[in-house]
Amino acid sequence: MSGFNKDAYTEYSGYILEQAKNLLSIDSPSGYGKEVMDYLMKELSRIGVKATKTVKGGVVAEIDGKDADNALLFEAHCDTLGAMVHLVKSNGRLKLTNIGGMNPNNAETENVRIITRKGKIYEGTCQLENASLHVNSEYNNKERTWDTVEIVIDEDVNSKEDVAKLGIKSGDYVCFEARTRVTESGYIKSRFLDDKLSAAVLLGYAKYVSDNKIQLDRKIYMHFTIYEEVGHGGSSPCPEGVKEAWSVDMGCVGEGLNCTEKEVSIAAKDRGGPYNYEIVNRLVDLAEKYEIGYAIDIYPFYGSDVEATLIAGNDIKHALIGPGVYASHGYERSHIEGAENTFRLIQAYLEEK
């Protein structure tokens, strides 16, 4: 194959946006992944892509290519930030323990779903203790921590005994509303774009290859992980024949960085050290050749699935790319052009000769 269909994204943009919305609508804080992974298995089967579940709970899709001994593994995580019930307070409110990097400053006033071990779901709100501004003279000065915010359950409960009757216990998951919106100008706003937007991009690329019966030069695996936010999502599996592994995750937007929400970020280095020099160079060359909007970034506080793959002892080259996302770990924002540029960069890398 010489070159690639630079207009392919146009045909698949609607599908990618639809899949992003579908994934974002499914609660999946780290460790609570069955529903989102069941969805992925069904969708991959529907589009004609072979997939299997891992023992750990993730999903690995396979796309055949000519060279199975020089395979490339893409990793995108479908687990999100969230919380668990730490304990039930005497007044019937819930103290939380966070999952991943969920921050109480971003959690305050958000609607939540509390999922009991029996599968019953209750609604509630994350609030500062004594949250009425007309009552609490220290409201503005109170530091927001997991000891000062709490879940107010939307049921008639005033004691631990009342909550026990609902079946809510320590260890129950607390899932925060995603609040997904897409503006007419193309901005995508939601919690948990990290990393469900990139997972949708990979689904879009898989569908594009399947629909058009494209014969790639190398075999591709796509691992949708479920423990990235707690550090070990990409630790396994790394299938036989894989020589490169990439995290397709968010690109951060903020001070000291170059990426915007409309670009694909190519990471040169994060807290785990430099990414593979040859891969980064090739990605930059391809982005410039095909006029793909990109930025090169260094992330001092970022870790990714592929680092877990390396730490597990796999002898691979590694990379990290993804659409720009502003306000990471909060109420995040990206743009459909960021998804497009990520799709096109993957496409160019795999299809250009």
Side-chain angles (χ1 to χ4, degrees):
M1 182 180 296
S2 178
F4 66 101
N5 177 10
K6 67 178 183 178
D7 298 319
Y9 176 79
T10 302
E11 183 179 350
Y12 289 90
S13 59
Y15 174 81
I16 289 171
L17 191 57
E18 175 191 18
Q19 292 308 310
K21 290 178 181 178
N22 290 348
L23 292 170
L24 289 161
S25 72
I26 303 172
D27 291 326
S28 57
S30 294
Y32 186 80
K34 184 178 185 304
E35 291 179 17
V36 73
M37 292 300 157
D38 284 349
Y39 174 83
L40 283 169
M41 288 293 291
K42 290 177 183 177
E43 182 58 23
L44 287 162
S45 176
R46 191 186 72 81
I47 65 176
V49 175
K50 179 183 176 182
T52 56
K53 272 193 177 181
T54 70
V55 173
K56 195 172 181 176
V59 166
V60 177
E62 297 183 34
I63 300 175
D64 286 333
K66 295 176 184 177
D67 191 349
D69 295 323
N70 185 31
L72 194 157
L73 170 65
F74 292 115
E75 298 171 322
H77 67 91
C78 287
D79 62 314
T80 71
L81 310 179
M84 275 185 177
V85 178
H86 185 172
L87 57 83
V88 180
K89 299 182 179 183
S90 61
N91 62 358
R93 307 289 173 88
L94 305 178
K95 176 181 170 62
L96 297 181
T97 179
N98 64 313
I99 293 175
M102 192 76 194
N103 188 297
N105 294 287
N106 289 322
E108 184 185 4
T109 74
E110 189 61 270
N111 290 320
V112 304
R113 284 177 289 276
I114 305 140
I115 304 174
T116 72
R117 295 284 169 180
K118 300 294 186 181
K120 178 72 174 176
I121 298 175
Y122 296 96
E123 292 194 21
T125 309
C126 184
Q127 297 278 20
L128 180 69
E129 292 176 327
N130 195 21
S132 297
L133 191 61
H134 287 84
V135 175
N136 187 351
S137 63
E138 295 299 314
Y139 182 94
N140 291 327
N141 300 322
K142 191 71 173 179
E143 183 181 3
R144 273 59 172 173
T145 71
W146 295 114
D147 291 322
T148 63
V149 300
E150 62 187 7
I151 297 300
V152 181
I153 307 170
D154 293 331
E155 300 289 336
D156 294 330
V157 291
N158 297 290
S159 67
K160 292 178 69 171
E161 292 74 20
D162 289 341
V163 175
K165 291 176 183 176
L166 299 179
I168 295 174
K169 299 181 175 68
S170 296
D172 289 344
Y173 273 95
V174 177
C175 306
F176 290 77
E177 287 281 353
R179 288 189 288 121
T180 304
R181 294 186 64 185
V182 181
T183 70
E184 291 184 4
S185 55
Y187 283 97
I188 308 166
K189 301 189 294 183
S190 182
R191 289 187 185 274
F192 316 134
L193 294 177
D194 170 20
D195 183 34
K196 291 183 175 180
L197 180 57
S198 290
V201 170
L202 289 184
L203 283 174
Y205 186 74
K207 188 174 192 302
Y208 155 72
V209 172
S210 178
D211 287 351
N212 294 278
K213 296 180 172 52
I214 293 171
Q215 180 66 51
L216 297 172
D217 287 336
R218 60 199 304 194
K219 185 165 186 174
I220 302 301
Y221 296 94
M222 294 180 176
H223 184 192
F224 299 91
T225 73
I226 202 60
Y227 286 99
E228 191 273 351
E229 294 291 2
V230 292
H232 59 87
S235 58
S236 65
C238 186
E240 186 177 353
V242 168
K243 298 297 188 295
E244 293 182 28
W246 300 11
S247 279
V248 186
D249 209 324
M250 66 171 181
C252 291
V253 176
E255 292 184 9
L257 300 172
N258 299 309
C259 193
T260 70
E261 292 102 319
K262 293 186 175 184
E263 295 172 313
V264 55
S265 175
I266 302 169
K269 177 181 178 291
D270 66 11
R271 71 184 183 191
Y275 284 88
N276 183 268
Y277 188 74
E278 289 77 17
I279 297 177
V280 171
N281 282 353
R282 176 153 171 75
L283 289 171
V284 171
D285 288 345
L286 288 168
E288 292 178 349
K289 178 177 179 179
Y290 291 103
E291 298 181 334
I292 297 168
Y294 81 97
I296 302 173
D297 280 305
I298 291 173
Y299 297 121
F301 310 115
Y302 197 125
S304 71
D305 266 329
V306 75
E307 289 175 348
T309 309
L310 281 173
I311 291 169
N314 295 291
D315 184 17
I316 54 169
K317 298 178 180 179
H318 71 309
L320 165 64
I321 68 168
V325 172
Y326 181 62
S328 61
H329 282 197
Y331 188 59
E332 299 165 342
R333 188 180 84 156
S334 191
H335 194 276
I336 55 175
E337 290 184 21
E340 174 182 1
N341 286 315
T342 304
F343 179 100
R344 292 183 62 213
L345 189 58
I346 291 170
Q347 192 187 9
Y349 191 87
L350 291 175
E351 298 176 35
E352 203 247 24
K353 287 191 176 181

